[in-house]
Amino acid sequence: MADVIDIQRRLIELDVEHRDLDAVINMLTLDGHHDQLQLRRLKKRKLQLKDHITLLKMQLVPDVPA
């Protein structure tokens, strides 16, 4: 049971970071004076977070026998 709570807590943390990155990326894009390398790194980090969130969510779903 503690594992489920830990996973849920981690999901919340990652989701907050994902939303924050989304806001930063949007601000940089709208600003027009953004560094392309920085923008690419932020987008890559955002995708990594999304993948990690997906993996954690899959751990919360119980296996259903076929």
Side-chain angles (χ1 to χ4, degrees):
M1 189 60 148
D3 290 337
V4 172
I5 294 171
D6 290 339
I7 291 172
Q8 290 172 338
R9 185 177 297 124
R10 185 68 179 139
L11 276 170
I12 292 169
E13 293 169 358
L14 293 175
D15 193 42
V16 168
E17 185 178 351
H18 187 268
R19 282 191 309 247
D20 290 347
L21 274 174
D22 194 36
V24 170
I25 290 169
N26 285 336
M27 281 187 347
L28 287 174
T29 304
L30 293 175
D31 183 28
H33 300 290
H34 56 273
D35 179 12
Q36 287 294 326
L37 181 59
Q38 180 187 17
L39 196 57
R40 266 189 273 142
R41 287 179 177 163
L42 291 172
K43 287 181 179 182
K44 183 176 180 180
R45 175 66 181 149
K46 185 179 165 191
L47 286 172
Q48 290 171 338
L49 287 172
K50 183 177 179 182
D51 290 343
H52 197 82
I53 289 169
T54 301
L55 290 174
L56 288 175
K57 284 182 178 179
M58 287 173 43
Q59 289 179 8
L60 291 177
V61 176
D63 289 335
V64 178

